[in-house]
């Protein structure tokens, strides 16, 4: 495991521990609030204060009805626009207790329920809220194992509610059956603009289902499909959907298995697509052959600003072919080309400088894995040509 992955896992563990500690304190606070006089709402001053206290009272009563401990964070929510209840083990009952408050909510625009064990039943309860609420626009239900049934309920709600613009569904065990529900949603005109499907189990069959839907979609501007299992025919079908899409601006397909056939299809998509601005293809098993075909798209594309193709075994030959393709496109809009974790030789470094002369606004990132035929680190020639410690080759012309 890489250092950054270890650090991320450590941070998540610390976050869960902190949440658990906080939950204990909240349980005690909520218990005290439950035993207080329920008429305290009438003591509030001003219309907004009264509304907030009434909502708190309704929530406490709902928690008693569903036999769950109230989340004191919601009781202190006031008129804040974001409610974060991640890592609190709410479960389906906890969401049902929240329902009455969230349905009548006038303030909360972002709702974070990540890692709460909602499963399908909890997702259905949340979907019922979204069908009635017209304020919440950003929802995070990642890491809740909602499955296909829960996803179907949420997709139904999104089809009816144009207010929701961002939905995070990462880490929910979604497979090809769920892809059918997603495809149906993408074919509808909804308010959804950003969709996160990372860390799921969407495979090549899912790619074949989602590709045609992406081609017809008229709303999404950001799509995250990283850490799935898109490969083979599914990757090619998805890329063809990208070729026809005219709305998507940001696409993350990193940590899949697009391979050379998928990279070739992406190259074809870039020839026709004049909307996409950011593309992440990190760690997709792309070799020199795939890089060559991808480069054919880069020779003509005029809208892509950011391309991340790091951690692919394209070797020096693939590295050179990509840079030559970009150099041949004087209308390229590229601002960042990330080629980290790719073995290079001196020709790569020299060519990068040549490209920067033509495209001075382009930053080429490479942490430089040098081949053995390079001079030793102590020689003046390598000292002069070596990139800065940040790993970026200067974007300024020589």
């Amino acid at each position: 495991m890489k250092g950054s992955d270890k650090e991320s896992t450590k941070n998540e563990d610390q976050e869960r521990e902190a949440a658990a500690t906080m939950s204990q304190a909240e349980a005690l606070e909520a218990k005290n609030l439950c035993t207080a006089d329920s008429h305290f709402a009438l003591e509030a001053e001003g219309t907004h204060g009264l509304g907030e206290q009434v909502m708190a009272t309704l929530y406490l009563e709902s928690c008693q009805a569903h036999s769950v401990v109230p989340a004191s964070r919601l009781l202190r929510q006031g008129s804040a626009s974001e409610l974060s209840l991640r890592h609190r083990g709410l479960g389906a009952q906890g969401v049902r207790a929240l329902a009455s408050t969230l349905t009548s909510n006038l303030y909360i625009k972002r709702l974070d329920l990540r890692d709460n064990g909602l499963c399908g039943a909890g997702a259905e309860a949340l979907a019922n809220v979204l069908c009635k609420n017209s304020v919440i626009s950003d929802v995070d239900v990642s890491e809740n194992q909602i499955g296909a049934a829960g996803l179907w309920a949420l997709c139904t709600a999104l089809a009816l509610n144009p207010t929701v613009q961002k939905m995070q569904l990462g880490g929910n065990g979604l497979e090809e059956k769920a892809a059918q529900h997603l495809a149906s949603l993408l074919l509808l005109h909804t308010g959804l603009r950003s969709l996160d499907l990372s860390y799921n189990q969407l495979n090549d069959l899912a790619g074949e289902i989602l590709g045609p839907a992406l081609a017809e979609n008229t709303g999404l501007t950001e799509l995250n499909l990283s850490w799935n299992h898109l490969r083979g025919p599914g990757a090619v079908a998805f890329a063809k959907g990208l070729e026809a899409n005219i709305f998507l601006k940001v696409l993350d397909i990193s940590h899949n298995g697009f391979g050379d056939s998928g990279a070739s299809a992406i190259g074809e998509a870039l020839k026709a697509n004049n909307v996409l601005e950011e593309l992440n293809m990190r760690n997709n098993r792309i070799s020199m052959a795939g890089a060559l075909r991808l480069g054919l798209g880069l020779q003509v594309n005029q809208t892509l600003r950011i391309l991340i193709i790091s951690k692919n075994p394209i070797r020096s030959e693939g590295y050179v072919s990509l840079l030559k393709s970009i150099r041949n496109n004087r209308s390229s809009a590229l601002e960042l080309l990330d080629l980290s974790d790719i073995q290079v030789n001196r020709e790569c470094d020299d060519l990068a400088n040549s490209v920067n002369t033509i495209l001075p606004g382009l930053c080429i990132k490479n942490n430089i894995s040098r081949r053995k035929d390079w001079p030793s680190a102590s020689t003046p020639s390598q000292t002069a040509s070596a990139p800065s410690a940040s790993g970026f080759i200067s974007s300024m012309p020589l």
Side-chain angles (χ1 to χ4, degrees):
M1 182 178 290
K2 296 285 186 180
S4 59
D5 294 336
K6 291 181 178 178
E7 184 65 26
S8 176
T9 302
K10 180 180 179 181
N11 290 339
E12 290 177 2
D13 291 341
Q14 291 176 342
E15 188 177 46
R16 287 188 173 89
E17 291 175 4
T21 302
M22 187 180 299
S23 296
Q24 294 176 358
E26 289 183 346
L28 180 60
E29 180 179 347
K31 182 178 180 181
N32 293 334
L33 287 167
C34 283
T35 58
D37 184 0
S38 63
H39 295 291
F40 72 95
L42 300 178
E43 300 175 4
E45 295 182 6
T47 304
H48 288 291
L50 179 61
E52 293 161 15
Q53 298 291 4
V54 167
M55 289 176 65
T57 302
L58 290 175
Y59 175 55
L60 290 172
E61 293 174 350
S62 183
C63 286
Q64 286 186 322
H66 289 90
S67 302
V68 298
V69 176
S72 65
R73 175 167 293 188
L74 178 58
L75 298 173
R76 301 191 305 266
Q77 180 71 11
S79 58
S81 62
E82 177 177 352
L83 174 60
S84 177
L85 294 173
R86 56 170 58 188
H87 311 313
R88 291 172 188 277
L90 294 178
Q93 282 292 86
V95 176
R96 293 188 182 105
L98 281 170
S100 60
T101 302
L102 294 177
T103 299
S104 57
N105 149 66
L106 298 175
Y107 310 108
I108 300 169
K109 295 183 178 180
R110 185 175 192 278
L111 177 62
D112 186 349
L113 297 176
R114 178 185 290 261
D115 186 26
N116 269 289
L118 301 188
C119 299
E124 291 172 4
L126 176 60
N128 186 52
V129 171
L130 296 178
C131 283
K132 302 172 183 177
N133 181 280
S134 59
V135 178
I136 298 173
S137 61
D138 183 347
V139 182
D140 187 349
V141 286
S142 304
E143 302 173 27
N144 276 291
Q145 296 300 314
I146 64 172
L151 178 66
W152 179 83
L154 290 174
C155 286
T156 300
L158 293 176
L160 298 173
N161 184 352
T163 305
V164 180
Q165 297 184 1
K166 182 176 182 179
M167 177 68 75
Q168 292 176 256
L169 294 164
N172 273 298
L174 304 180
E175 301 176 333
E176 58 265 24
K177 185 175 181 181
Q180 295 281 3
H181 304 319
L182 291 168
S184 297
L185 178 65
L186 292 178
L187 291 172
L188 299 175
H189 183 70
T190 69
L192 196 61
R193 298 293 177 264
S194 177
L195 179 61
D196 183 352
L197 296 168
S198 61
Y199 291 93
N200 279 294
Q201 298 168 30
L202 299 171
N203 56 19
D204 53 345
L205 180 57
E208 293 183 40
I209 295 170
L210 293 174
L214 180 64
E216 300 295 327
N217 180 261
T218 58
L220 279 184
T221 58
E222 297 184 18
L223 177 60
N224 186 350
L225 279 163
S226 63
W227 293 94
N228 275 279
H229 307 298
L230 297 175
R231 54 177 64 99
V236 173
F238 183 83
K240 288 182 178 179
L242 176 64
E243 181 177 350
N245 183 278
I246 57 173
F247 285 87
L248 199 65
K249 293 182 180 297
V250 180
L251 174 63
D252 188 346
I253 50 175
S254 62
H255 299 276
N256 277 278
F258 268 62
D260 291 339
S261 60
S264 177
I266 291 291
E268 289 298 311
L270 292 178
K271 292 179 182 179
N273 187 294
N274 60 359
V275 179
L276 192 68
E277 296 181 1
E278 300 180 23
L279 175 61
N280 189 344
M281 298 183 69
R282 174 182 171 88
N283 199 10
N284 261 287
R285 305 176 187 174
I286 301 169
S287 72
M288 175 187 65
L292 181 63
R293 301 301 296 271
L294 177 64
L296 297 178
L298 297 176
Q299 283 185 355
V300 297
N301 184 276
Q302 299 180 21
T303 58
L304 194 65
R305 296 186 304 104
I306 297 174
L307 174 61
I308 301 174
I309 196 170
S310 56
K311 214 174 179 61
N312 280 290
I314 67 173
R315 300 168 45 178
S316 295
E317 293 81 0
Y319 188 113
V320 168
S321 70
L322 287 174
L323 289 181
K324 286 183 176 179
S325 295
I326 296 169
R327 185 181 62 179
N328 293 336
N329 182 1
R330 298 298 182 99
S331 298
S332 174
L334 273 178
E335 299 172 5
L336 172 63
L337 176 63
D338 189 342
L339 293 163
S340 303
D341 298 305
I342 296 173
Q343 188 182 65
V344 300
N345 56 23
R346 181 177 296 282
E347 180 186 4
C348 297
D349 200 22
D350 293 340
L351 184 56
N353 290 329
S354 173
V355 171
N356 278 144
T357 301
I358 298 171
L359 299 170
L362 173 62
C363 181
I364 303 173
K365 180 181 179 182
N366 191 343
N367 58 1
I368 301 298
S369 172
R370 300 183 186 279
R371 285 178 49 171
K372 292 181 179 179
D373 57 348
W374 276 52
S376 63
S378 60
T379 63
S381 59
Q382 181 164 337
T383 302
S385 61
S388 63
S390 64
F392 285 83
I393 296 176
S394 174
S395 62
M396 297 299 292
L398 295 177

